[in-house]
Amino acid sequence: MSRYPRERLETRLSYFAIENAHRVFAVSRMPLSVQPSPSRFCDGTEGYAVLYAARTFETCIVESLIRDRFVRRTRREIPFAAVLMRAHAQIATQPNAELLLLDLRDTGCLDIGAPTDAARARHFSAGQAMGRSIYTEHPDVDGIIYASRLTGDDCFAVFDRALAKIFVIDACELKDHPQLPVMLEQGGIQLGDD
């Protein structure tokens, strides 16, 4: 028996062409390289991996680098080493390609009968269980589009089976990205030694 029957998903499945999205990844990896590891929609143990990206550079940085780092802290500081360990890529879908994505924005979780924690909680267990079910029960689904719990902007979770539909527009070390200093200054965030 399916946790998420197709008839429940149908109204929330749509084809998307990603024209420009942002991804932060380990500087030692390739821009589209993924491996099974615990994250919002992957438990890291079921033989699949997920590539994450955000529509805006700011959301990409908040989701991948800042997250809840400043909770109950008076200093808004990120270790410079954390920036040095990361790279940035602008990605898009291949020309004439689209991704079939499950849309969890707005009432998406409610519509398909998933816990809202799947897309919006600080802890990932509900999203991991849902991601595993969608990946195994619906092999034509390429991933998930959801709203960042931190900024509300669009984020993409693309399953490894759909990575051939993605290409890299541009990539650089995160420390060299021209928008990083502006974003840090606007957020009152300092780079520190620790």
Side-chain angles (χ1 to χ4, degrees), residues 121-171:
R122 181 177 182 183
H123 301 286
F124 297 154
S125 58
Q128 291 171 347
M130 190 203 71
R132 180 177 49 253
S133 293
I134 298 302
Y135 187 89
T136 58
E137 296 171 11
H138 305 282
D140 62 323
V141 175
D142 294 321
I144 298 165
I145 183 170
Y146 62 103
S148 164
R149 73 177 180 88
L150 300 165
T151 68
D153 289 336
D154 291 348
C155 292
F156 305 97
V158 180
F159 295 140
D160 54 4
R161 62 184 173 217
L163 292 181
K165 297 179 181 181
I166 303 288
F167 77 101
V168 176
I169 298 169
D170 192 22

Side-chain angles (χ1 to χ4, degrees), residues 23-35 81-88 172-174:
R23 168 172 167 70
V24 168
F25 57 98
V27 75
S28 61
R29 297 193 177 273
M30 298 301 291
L32 299 180
S33 171
V34 295
Q35 63 184 17
V83 173
L84 292 176
M85 295 174 9
R86 290 174 171 84
H88 167 269
C172 66
E173 290 186 28
L174 184 56

Side-chain angles (χ1 to χ4, degrees), residues 4 40-41 104 109 114-121 123-124 126-128 130:
Y4 297 99
R40 175 154 311 277
F41 296 110
L104 295 183
C109 288
T116 55
D117 280 359
R120 296 187 183 98
H123 301 286
F124 297 154
Q128 291 171 347
M130 190 203 71

Side-chain angles (χ1 to χ4, degrees), residues 21-60:
H22 301 267
R23 168 172 167 70
V24 168
F25 57 98
V27 75
S28 61
R29 297 193 177 273
M30 298 301 291
L32 299 180
S33 171
V34 295
Q35 63 184 17
S37 60
S39 60
R40 175 154 311 277
F41 296 110
C42 181
D43 62 15
T45 62
E46 291 296 317
Y48 72 98
V50 179
L51 178 141
Y52 293 91
R55 194 170 306 275
T56 66
F57 176 77
E58 293 78 10
T59 295
C60 178

Side-chain angles (χ1 to χ4, degrees), residues 46-123:
E46 291 296 317
Y48 72 98
V50 179
L51 178 141
Y52 293 91
R55 194 170 306 275
T56 66
F57 176 77
E58 293 78 10
T59 295
C60 178
I61 296 301
V62 168
E63 284 283 335
S64 62
L65 188 61
I66 297 172
R67 300 193 53 77
D68 296 311
R69 189 181 294 264
F70 304 139
V71 173
R72 293 188 286 277
R73 301 243 173 121
T74 54
R75 290 174 50 193
R76 294 175 61 84
E77 186 174 275
I78 296 173
F80 187 54
V83 173
L84 292 176
M85 295 174 9
R86 290 174 171 84
H88 167 269
Q90 264 184 283
I91 64 172
T93 47
Q94 295 283 356
N96 302 316
E98 292 180 316
L99 298 170
L100 180 60
L101 300 180
L102 177 60
D103 189 348
L104 295 183
R105 297 171 298 177
D106 305 317
T107 62
C109 288
L110 180 66
D111 293 347
I112 68 166
T116 55
D117 280 359
R120 296 187 183 98
R122 181 177 182 183
H123 301 286

